Amino acid sequence: MARRDTSQGRKMLSLLGLLAPPTIFLGVFFITPLAIMVIYSFLEPGLYGGVVWNFYDLNYGRILGWADTRYEKFDPVYLTIFLRSVRLALTTVLLSLVICYPAAFWISRMPQGRKNFFLFLITLPFFVSLVVRLFAWVLILRPTGFLNQALMEIGMISEPLNLIFTDTAVVIGMTYVFIPFMFLPLYASIEKLDMSLVEASADLGATRLQTFRRIILPVTLPGIVGGSIIVFIPSLGNFIVPSVLGGAKVMMIGNLIEQQFLSARNWPFGSALGMMVMAAVLLLLMIYVRMMTREEEYATAAKVKES
């Protein structure tokens, strides 16, 4: 009995030793800054970038509508910027999905050697600086850039398209940057697809659309949802791509937060804006966890029925 207790004690110590470093790391570098942001979002802005340690809910009131004082007013422009950021992030997710889904299918059916080569190509942009890649897109999209020159040469347009410093340029840039984040979860999900199920569906007379809807889509859904979340989260708070490709004409919530912290020196209001982004991300993650839990429950129920 004593030997059993000693063995369990050693296992507990080993478990604590393994969990302690990541727990401390997350506590210091994630939980603590997040707690500081939450506290600052409810403090009163002070002079010259300082804060006054009074409870102050008007930082959120300026965004959500109840601020109506001499110095703090509700301004719908903040909600407009937030909703525009959500729209651009969702468009980026949709465009990435449309590009990556067929590509992941195509690569997953290749021989192993070619498959590894194309997977390397997908991750190749990570080896080049993001700023360099974005300025390359500036050269491509500007009125005298490669894209306009090519379209004018083949006669598709008579005058240059106004692409740079628009929403379109920002979506193109973010899609380009986040394509690997969508592709890899999709590929992992599609590679697990048992093609014998697809063949059986065709043998039983199902159309291609029915096979996709009943077999392929449910199996690859975790990859679609996971990739969509991984792309949506950094797209929503992104400020580098809008700064380079959107200029002063396209402002996203990430740019607004950056301005509040670095230019306006209004840390409480910047923190409140950051909390809005965190709330949107948290809501999305809760939906994802609920969907995954439901999928697991269905899978468990199906196994119980079969047995």
Side-chain angles (χ1 to χ4, degrees):
M1 186 70 179
R3 186 177 296 173
R4 189 175 172 184
D5 290 342
T6 306
S7 176
Q8 287 182 347
R10 284 178 181 170
K11 285 182 180 177
M12 283 296 294
L13 282 175
S14 301
L15 187 62
L16 286 174
L18 289 171
L19 291 178
T23 304
I24 294 171
F25 182 86
L26 287 175
V28 173
F29 295 105
F30 178 69
I31 302 296
T32 304
L34 187 61
I36 292 171
M37 289 274 288
V38 172
I39 293 170
Y40 263 62
S41 69
F42 287 103
L43 293 180
E44 184 178 348
L47 294 175
Y48 312 114
V51 294
V52 179
W53 286 83
N54 294 330
F55 178 76
Y56 196 74
D57 64 339
L58 296 183
N59 295 315
Y60 291 97
R62 289 177 63 185
I63 307 168
L64 300 175
W66 64 81
D68 189 18
T69 65
R70 182 178 177 184
Y71 299 106
E72 304 283 13
K73 295 282 186 186
F74 165 63
D75 192 341
V77 73
Y78 301 123
L79 276 181
T80 304
I81 292 172
F82 182 75
L83 293 177
R84 180 197 295 149
S85 304
V86 172
R87 176 173 57 82
L88 293 180
L90 288 176
T91 308
T92 302
V93 169
L94 185 62
L95 199 55
S96 304
L97 182 62
V98 169
I99 294 171
C100 291
Y101 200 79
F105 259 102
W106 180 55
I107 294 175
S108 66
R109 303 303 165 214
M110 285 182 173
Q112 191 63 39
R114 291 175 65 187
K115 191 187 297 185
N116 292 338
F117 174 70
F118 278 98
L119 288 175
F120 170 72
L121 289 183
I122 292 290
T123 58
L124 193 60
F126 290 124
F127 295 94
V128 183
S129 165
L130 175 61
V131 176
V132 173
R133 286 185 281 148
L134 289 179
F135 276 104
W137 274 105
V138 172
L139 297 177
I140 293 171
L141 297 176
R142 66 181 183 175
T144 58
F146 172 78
L147 183 60
N148 275 312
Q149 292 294 328
L151 293 176
M152 290 174 72
E153 283 292 329
I154 61 176
M156 288 189 68
I157 57 174
S158 58
E159 57 184 25
L161 298 173
N162 185 25
L163 292 173
I164 195 70
F165 306 141
T166 61
D167 288 1
T168 304
V170 173
V171 169
I172 291 173
M174 289 201 298
T175 303
Y176 164 71
V177 171
F178 295 121
I179 268 185
F181 296 90
M182 175 64 82
F183 179 86
L184 294 176
L186 270 180
Y187 176 79
S189 182
I190 288 172
E191 203 178 28
K192 293 177 185 172
L193 177 64
D194 187 355
M195 290 306 292
S196 63
L197 294 175
V198 178
E199 293 169 4
S201 174
D203 291 343
L204 291 172
T207 63
R208 289 185 177 182
L209 182 61
Q210 287 173 325
T211 302
F212 177 77
R213 192 165 55 87
R214 299 282 181 88
I215 305 293
I216 298 174
L217 186 61
V219 173
T220 58
L221 189 60
I224 295 173
V225 177
S228 300
I229 289 175
I230 293 173
V231 172
F232 180 80
I233 291 173
S235 299
L236 182 62
N238 198 282
F239 66 93
I240 298 175
V241 178
S243 297
V244 177
L245 297 179
K249 295 181 180 176
V250 181
M251 176 172 284
M252 292 180 66
I253 192 72
N255 302 99
L256 187 60
I257 294 171
E258 180 204 14
Q259 286 182 4
Q260 294 302 316
F261 275 99
L262 300 182
S263 303
R265 297 181 65 78
N266 190 342
W267 287 33
F269 187 55
S271 300
L273 290 168
M275 287 301 105
M276 291 287 295
V277 176
M278 286 290 296
V281 169
L282 188 62
L283 178 65
L284 202 63
L285 288 176
M286 288 173 65
I287 293 171
Y288 174 69
V289 170
R290 187 173 175 79
M291 284 182 66
M292 291 300 101
T293 306
R294 190 174 295 174
E295 286 289 326
E296 287 179 6
E297 287 175 355
Y298 286 154
T300 307
K303 285 181 182 175
V304 170
K305 278 185 180 178
E306 287 175 2
S307 61

